């Protein structure tokens, strides 16, 4: 233990960093800022308790005032024993703090959950009231498509009332009562603390989900854009006033909405003041610009058309596409829309699609280059660059409206490892990412070397182009983008990059591939195949006698969303470059009716195979150097002579090969899908030989191994695995110990390596 002083305003712990200690706040207060929430921690609170189970700080911790803390070294739950060994009473002190902090977060969760439920009830009630007023005043309802996005808050792992009540009661107990409850038993105390940490973590995660829900849903009632329910009421009052109807009931309802908006704490004061002032200053009985109620219906249509306009005209105008080419493209698009069978594969229709496809990519390039130089991009262009949308009739009016609304929510399709195609191109232009390999497996530098070899450029031009970011973006647009946009669409023979209604089978919202869906799918697979994205990298520190030790590092893939409504996912690259510790690149459509988890399992199987091939090089199928690809290829090649396979198993391998067109990788991918979806739950789908190979190279996580250990089908391979893992752990601990004695520090990457072998 040591005393730590933290200056006011200093961020002394950072979200995402590995937990390195626990901090008991003795004096002052600390502001905790998570991804989507923030709260204060007062004296007596212990920073790090919430994260003690996960090992990663979930918040930035910033001193509100001058703070004094006791600091305890902590990395893993076992460290609690050392803390409590020094002072027995700390078991009760830490447990009491854990109970109180958990109760505070659970109360906060409950409050936000009630706010979200109340908001939805209020919103839907006001929407019904608006319709009733329109009927009463004999006024047409103004179009408000975004209202279709209204939905109640849905939490799949909602915290039950008994948990909240338990921690509420426990938080009121005195230190003496806690001491009696625990009997100063270290194991019970650690168990209570870690259990409380799980509930704190879940509460904070749910609070963040609820706040994200409110952040989006609140715009339906009141927003900066004035496309909201409040404006519908305001416009209704303006249109109805000249007819002489009694507006008092309507004004009362608007006042109710205004009161809710002010008291909800969901909206900025400046926005409230501005919009409420516009309403209060409006003279409803002097403004007589609308003598006939029918005019409103006409004007609402005109306003809608003006707002949305001719999408194609806006896109062509913004991109500054050649006028003559634009006229030709329009006529081709009209011809395509009027085809009796838009899915025809006749020569004429194929030719038409090719011509339109060429124009699409030309316009895309022009629109992209203008967008990066222009702060203001029309919504129509956003729809085009992110979804491949160009024409309302071709995509369907309802779909066009939904996509229009989704342009405000494109943040849902972006995280640190998930990009829309548009954002991916911008990341290359900023120098954050390198272009992908093309369909001939050439990366950008290899492509330049090829140009030089063929005499198309000289050495000076090669050097200039190698660092030219615009050329890199151009390379990506004309290679990876064109190839994968077609491939992820799924139906190669009828591919057209322009979004079409027949591709949007369900609602746009349900088909949208969000970053949350992608990362949930990845997390699901990683909970089963824990080593999926880990790579072996070399660690050395010659000054401390560590010349070369191999350690494990997890590198999550980059996911790029193509602007189409497709059905296929692709594993485009197993690494971003020559180095093994660079991210893979998976390509998905931005909209799909397929299950995202199913797609991700399939590309993960291909990643497993291709990553092994990259590591093994020319020996990828050489059984003398055992590896996943070598052993699987050997098993498939000689399955007929394998006496460990039954006649039925051999017949299944034969059928699998036939379906995969003799492609060994695709046979493995199908087995990998069964491995993740069924074998991990104890449902046998693989033969003995395939199961043994896959487990050795794609082992189940610790929890699944424990659940399946009693099953005789798995017992032998699990026991062998534990023996081999034990050897690796002993070697690891020996060199870690030797390294520390020489003055080396167990850094974060070394700690991650240790945790890998505990999975």
């Amino acid at each position: 233990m040591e005393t730590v002083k933290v200056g006011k305003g200093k961020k002394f712990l950072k979200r995402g960093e590995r937990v390195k200690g626990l901090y008991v706040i003795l004096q002052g207060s600390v502001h905790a800022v998570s991804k989507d929430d923030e709260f204060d921690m007062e004296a007596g609170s212990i920073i790090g308790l919430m994260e003690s189970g996960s090992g990663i700080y979930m918040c930035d911790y910033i001193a509100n005032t001058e703070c004094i803390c006791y600091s305890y070294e902590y990395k893993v739950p076992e460290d609690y024993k050392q803390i409590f060994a020094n002072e027995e009473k700390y078991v009760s002190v830490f447990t009491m703090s854990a109970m109180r902090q958990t109760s505070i977060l659970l109360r906060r969760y409950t409050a936000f959950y009630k706010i979200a439920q109340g908001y939805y009830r209020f919103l839907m009630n006001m929407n019904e009231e608006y319709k009733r007023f329109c009927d009463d005043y004999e006024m047409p309802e103004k179009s408000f498509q975004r209202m279709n996005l209204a939905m109640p808050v849905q939490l799949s792992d909602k915290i039950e009332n008994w948990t909240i009540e338990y921690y509420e009661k426990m938080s009121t107990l005195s230190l003496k009562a806690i001491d009696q409850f625990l009997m100063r038993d270290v194991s019970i105390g650690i168990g209570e603390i870690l259990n409380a940490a799980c509930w704190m973590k879940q509460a904070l995660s749910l609070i963040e989900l609820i706040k994200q829900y409110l952040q989006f849903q609140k715009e339906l009632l009141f927003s900066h854009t004035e496309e909201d329910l409040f404006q519908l009421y305001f416009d209704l009052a303006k249109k109805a006033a000249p007819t002489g109807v009694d507006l008092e009931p309507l004004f009362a309802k608007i006042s109710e909405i205004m009161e809710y908006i002010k008291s909800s704490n969901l909206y900025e004061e400046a926005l409230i003041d501005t919009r409420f002032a516009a309403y209060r200053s409006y003279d409803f009985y002097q403004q007589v610009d609308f003598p006939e109620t029918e005019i409103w219906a006409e004007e609402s249509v005109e306003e809608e058309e003006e707002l949305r306009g001719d999408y194609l005209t806006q896109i062509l105008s913004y991109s500054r596409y050649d006028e003559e080419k634009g006229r030709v493209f329009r006529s081709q698009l009209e011809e395509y829309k009027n085809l009796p069978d838009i899915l025809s594969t006749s020569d004429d229709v194929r030719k038409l699609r090719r011509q339109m496809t060429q124009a699409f990519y030309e316009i895309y390039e022009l629109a992209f280059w203008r967008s990066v130089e222009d702060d203001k991009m029309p919504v129509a262009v956003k729809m085009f660059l992110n979804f491949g949308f160009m024409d309302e009739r071709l995509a369907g009016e309802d779909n066009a409206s939904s996509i229009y609304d989704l342009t405000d929510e494109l943040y849902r399709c972006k995280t640190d490892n998930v990009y829309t195609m548009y954002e991916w191109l911008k990341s290359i232009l900023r120098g954050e990412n390198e272009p992908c390999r093309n369909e001939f497996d050439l990366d950008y530098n290899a492509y330049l070397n090829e140009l030089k070899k063929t005499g198309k450029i000289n050495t000076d031009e090669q050097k200039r182009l190698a660092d030219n970011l615009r050329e890199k973006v151009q390379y990506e647009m004309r290679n990876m983008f064109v190839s994968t946009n077609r491939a992820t669409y799924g139906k190669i023979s009828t591919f057209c990059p322009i979004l079409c209604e027949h591709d949007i089978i369900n609602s746009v919202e349900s088909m949208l591939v969000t970053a949350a869906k992608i990362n949930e799918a990845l997390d699901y697979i990683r909970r089963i195949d824990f080593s999926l994205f880990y790579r072996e990298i070399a660690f050395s520190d010659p000054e401390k006698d560590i010349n070369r030790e191999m350690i494990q590092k997890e590198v999550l893939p980059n996911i790029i969303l193509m602007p189409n409504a497709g059905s296929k996912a692709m594993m485009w690259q197993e690494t971003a470059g020559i180095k093994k510790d660079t991210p893979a690149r998976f390509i998905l459509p931005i909209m799909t009716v397929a299950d995202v988890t199913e797609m991700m399992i399939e590309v993960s199987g291909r990643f497993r195979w291709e990553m092994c091939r990259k590591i093994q090089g020319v020996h990828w199928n050489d059984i003398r150097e055992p590896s996943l690809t070598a052993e699987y290829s050997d098993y498939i090649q000689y399955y007929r002579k394998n006496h460990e396979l039954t006649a039925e198993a051999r017949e299944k391998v034969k059928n699998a090969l036939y379906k995969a067109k003799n492609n060994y990788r695709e046979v493995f991918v199908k087995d990998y899908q069964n491995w993740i979806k069924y074998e991990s739950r104890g449902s046998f789908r693989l033969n003995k030989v395939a199961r043994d190979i896959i487990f050795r190279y794609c082992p189940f996580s610790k929890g699944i191994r424990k659940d399946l250990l009693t099953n005789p089908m798995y017992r032998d391979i699990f026991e062998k695995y534990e023996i081999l893992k034990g050897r690796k752990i002993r070697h690891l601990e020996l060199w870690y110990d030797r390294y520390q004695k020489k003055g080396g520090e167990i850094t974060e990457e070394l700690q991650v390596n240790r945790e890998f072998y505990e999975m």
Side-chain angles (χ1 to χ4, degrees), residues 23 80 116 151 183 193 224 238 267 329 384 451 487 659 661 704:
Y23 296 80
Y80 274 123
M151 63 181 70
M183 299 179 292
I193 291 167
H224 287 89
K238 287 191 285 187
Y267 305 95
F329 180 68
F384 169 56
L451 291 181
K659 289 178 182 177
K661 299 178 182 177
I704 295 173

Side-chain angles (χ1 to χ4, degrees), residues 536 574 580 608-631 697:
E536 268 197 338
E574 66 282 353
K580 288 190 295 183
R608 272 287 192 188
W609 185 274
E610 294 301 331
M611 192 67 205
C612 183
R613 280 191 60 160
K614 182 180 182 71
I615 292 169
Q616 296 299 115
V618 295
H619 302 289
W620 70 271
N621 62 351
D622 187 345
I623 195 62
R624 292 172 299 179
E625 293 193 18
S627 67
L628 171 65
T629 51
E631 293 197 45
Y697 294 100

Side-chain angles (χ1 to χ4, degrees), residues 444-445 448 451-452 456-472:
Y444 183 66
N445 288 325
L448 294 180
L451 291 181
K452 184 187 170 189
K456 294 179 180 177
I457 59 173
N458 57 35
T459 304
D460 290 339
E461 287 175 312
Q462 183 182 17
K463 290 178 181 177
R464 179 183 62 80
L465 292 172
D467 298 320
N468 190 308
L469 295 176
R470 287 183 69 91
E471 288 292 336
K472 288 182 178 182

Side-chain angles (χ1 to χ4, degrees), residues 32-233:
V33 182
S34 70
K35 183 181 177 184
D36 290 296
D37 192 32
E38 49 189 284
F39 53 91
D40 289 329
M41 300 179 71
E42 304 299 334
S45 301
I46 302 176
I47 299 169
L49 281 186
M50 176 171 64
E51 297 94 345
S52 58
S54 63
I56 301 291
Y57 287 120
M58 295 177 68
C59 303
D60 290 327
Y61 292 100
I62 306 156
N64 278 329
T65 62
E66 297 285 332
C67 290
I68 299 176
C69 304
Y70 278 157
S71 169
Y72 297 87
E73 187 175 338
Y74 178 93
K75 290 183 179 177
V76 294
E78 286 294 312
D79 292 339
Y80 274 123
K81 292 180 180 178
Q82 184 61 43
I83 295 170
F84 299 153
N86 296 332
E87 190 65 56
E88 198 178 48
K89 68 178 181 181
Y90 285 174
V91 180
S92 302
V93 172
F94 274 58
T95 303
M96 184 171 72
S97 184
M99 296 297 178
R100 291 181 178 177
Q101 287 174 225
T102 305
S103 180
I104 289 169
L105 273 176
L106 288 174
R107 270 186 247 131
R108 189 170 174 79
Y109 152 75
T110 303
F112 275 112
Y113 189 50
K114 287 180 178 177
I115 289 170
Q117 289 178 311
Y119 169 82
Y120 179 72
R121 285 195 299 270
F122 184 83
L123 179 72
M124 299 312 291
N125 182 47
M126 290 301 112
N127 189 47
E128 289 303 315
E129 287 291 294
Y130 168 73
K131 294 177 180 178
R132 184 179 64 78
F133 276 117
C134 289
D135 287 341
D136 291 347
Y137 295 152
E138 297 181 352
M139 290 280 179
E141 294 174 23
K142 191 172 182 181
S143 174
F144 185 34
Q145 291 285 340
R146 292 188 67 205
M147 197 64 195
N148 295 329
L149 300 175
M151 63 181 70
V153 59
Q154 296 174 332
L155 302 176
S156 57
D157 49 357
K158 187 169 70 115
I159 299 174
E160 300 295 336
N161 287 335
W162 67 264
T163 304
I164 298 167
E165 289 168 4
Y166 172 78
Y167 283 102
E168 186 65 36
K169 291 288 185 185
M170 293 296 288
S171 70
T172 62
L173 297 182
S174 64
L175 183 61
K176 183 179 179 182
I178 293 285
D179 203 32
Q180 291 172 343
F181 169 71
L182 298 176
M183 299 179 292
R184 296 211 174 173
D185 188 304
V186 171
S187 297
I188 297 174
I190 294 173
E192 287 292 334
I193 291 167
L194 293 176
N195 198 39
C198 290
W199 289 116
M200 280 190 267
K201 182 180 177 183
Q202 185 172 344
L204 185 60
S205 297
L206 291 175
I207 289 168
E208 291 181 338
L209 282 174
I210 294 167
K211 291 186 83 170
Q212 289 169 8
Y213 163 85
L214 287 169
Q215 194 66 27
F216 166 62
Q217 292 284 318
K218 73 177 186 179
E219 302 284 316
L220 301 176
L221 181 66
F222 196 66
S223 69
H224 287 89
T225 64
E226 300 186 9
E227 290 184 68
D228 50 47
L229 200 55
F230 176 77
Q231 192 64 37
L232 292 189
Y233 273 86

